Amino acid sequence: MLVAYDPSWPEQFADAAALLRSHGDPDWVIEHIGSTAIPGMRAKPIIDLAVRVADPADFERHRSALERSGWRRGSAVRSHPVMLRERDGVRTHIAHFFTAADWDAVNQRILRDWLLEHPADADRYRHAKCDAVAAAARGTSSYSAAKTPVIQEIVDRARTARGLPRIEVSDK
């Protein structure tokens, strides 16, 4: 499930961001998020992207073109639109669309920034991910549920440092 950090992940992100811009809005701000954005982090080999759209209508205006280019809607996430890209039935990319109004408070961006700046927390998260894989293999928890407490604790500290209120990290 988790693989060693792949130095090609930043390039894979750049290619996916270019594809999104070419079929969406060329002015969209797109950032690499998730574990593949953290050098040295073991991760599922899925590139996560945060896309800043003006508002929900901005996303909807470009949705059909994105679908024609191989992206599809799909996810249990409730707080924002998500599109997926697959190759041979295997998920390779997840694009999260956040409004400009929400952009500065997006947990995924906050977590990425914190882990890049705090190696001890990145290491702690790395261990939590490995423990989550073991819990999922035993059937005692899902991978996501098992790592959520550590993510919540780290994001809480990161949000506090930015003067933001605590919010639940799980939005499924």
Side-chain angles (χ1 to χ4, degrees):
M1 178 187 272
L2 298 179
V3 300
Y5 179 79
D6 183 338
S8 76
W9 285 339
E11 182 180 333
Q12 291 177 45
F13 157 75
D15 292 345
L19 179 66
L20 285 166
R21 286 188 189 102
S22 71
H23 294 282
D25 184 328
D27 294 325
W28 278 344
V29 172
I30 304 175
E31 295 181 359
H32 192 180
I33 57 171
S35 294
T36 61
I38 311 297
M41 182 72 66
R42 293 181 59 78
K44 291 182 181 181
I46 301 169
I47 305 300
D48 287 288
L49 304 97
V51 183
R52 188 178 73 192
V53 295
D55 52 40
D58 184 19
F59 168 74
E60 287 300 330
R61 253 190 317 280
H62 300 286
R63 181 177 167 183
S64 293
L66 293 170
E67 288 171 342
R68 285 191 301 276
S69 74
W71 292 90
R72 68 172 177 81
R73 275 300 294 263
S75 174
V77 172
R78 299 178 312 224
S79 61
H80 58 273
V82 175
M83 296 192 87
L84 311 172
R85 193 162 173 79
E86 297 177 336
R87 185 175 31 248
D88 300 323
V90 176
R91 186 177 298 176
T92 58
H93 299 81
I94 304 172
H96 300 261
F97 294 81
F98 301 103
T99 65
D102 295 333
W103 189 251
D104 290 335
V106 168
N107 283 334
Q108 292 90 332
R109 295 180 65 241
I110 292 169
L111 177 63
R112 178 216 44 215
D113 292 350
W114 186 268
L115 294 178
L116 288 170
E117 296 168 8
H118 297 87
D121 278 337
D123 191 53
R124 184 167 174 235
Y125 180 52
R126 184 177 300 109
H127 288 292
K129 289 167 60 84
C130 292
D131 292 346
V133 168
R138 288 190 307 271
T140 57
S141 179
S142 74
Y143 172 75
S144 292
K147 65 182 186 162
T148 295
V150 170
I151 294 171
Q152 184 72 60
E153 189 272 322
I154 293 171
V155 168
D156 285 350
R157 281 191 286 114
R159 289 181 68 85
T160 297
R162 290 184 179 206
L164 296 170
R166 180 192 188 278
I167 60 171
E168 293 295 320
V169 295
S170 180
D171 59 358
K172 296 181 182 175

